[in-house]
Amino acid sequence: MGNTKDLGLLIARVLLALMYVVADIGKINSYGGTQGYMQSMGVPGDFLPLVILVEVGGGLVIILGAWTNLVAVLLAGFTLVAALIFHHNFADQNQMIHFMKNISITGGFLALAVAGAGGISVDAWRSKRS
């Protein structure tokens, strides 16, 4: 059962984090447009490098399973804040879908924070070394 749980947690980590890593390719390729969108929603466009760092860095750390509990909680908060800032127009069905997607991802990160990274992770490797 342990191997199944560990494999499941690895797959869950990859699926949760991959969205951020892949989405940031679009943010980088459309840097000016992304900055403009952020500014139109009241967020300074100068924050875009920090957003990319959080999403790519946090995503890669989650995939590796390093500091999983802490990073998962931080990404849950980040995702919830993004939902509230960028997807709050519930009269627009597309925005409502994006809001609910972000809420679901937030839940996934919180579940990961509680479950931990599992045995196929940097966290498990570090734990075994101590």
Side-chain angles (χ1 to χ4, degrees):
M1 183 68 169
N3 289 341
T4 303
K5 178 183 174 187
D6 292 338
L7 182 59
L9 286 167
L10 171 63
I11 292 168
R13 291 194 331 260
V14 170
L15 293 176
L16 272 170
L18 193 61
M19 179 195 71
Y20 281 125
V21 175
V22 171
D24 280 9
I25 294 169
K27 286 182 177 86
I28 293 166
N29 287 337
S30 180
Y31 196 89
T34 303
Q35 275 188 320
Y37 178 67
M38 289 173 64
Q39 291 168 339
S40 76
M41 300 304 284
V43 178
D46 292 340
F47 284 178
L48 183 54
L50 180 60
V51 169
I52 292 169
L53 177 66
V54 167
E55 291 180 351
V56 171
L60 292 175
V61 169
I62 288 291
I63 289 170
L64 292 172
W67 306 287
T68 303
N69 303 75
L70 172 64
V71 176
V73 168
L74 293 174
L75 286 175
F78 175 86
T79 305
L80 181 60
V81 168
L84 295 170
I85 292 173
F86 295 103
H87 307 301
H88 59 271
N89 180 5
F90 300 137
D92 179 344
Q93 184 177 5
N94 187 44
Q95 288 301 310
M96 176 60 98
I97 290 168
H98 282 292
F99 180 83
M100 294 308 297
K101 169 201 57 132
N102 279 38
I103 295 302
S104 297
I105 293 165
T106 298
F109 278 127
L110 291 175
L112 183 60
V114 171
I120 307 170
S121 66
V122 171
D123 288 344
W125 176 77
R126 280 197 320 248
S127 176
K128 288 175 188 171
R129 289 194 58 192
S130 318

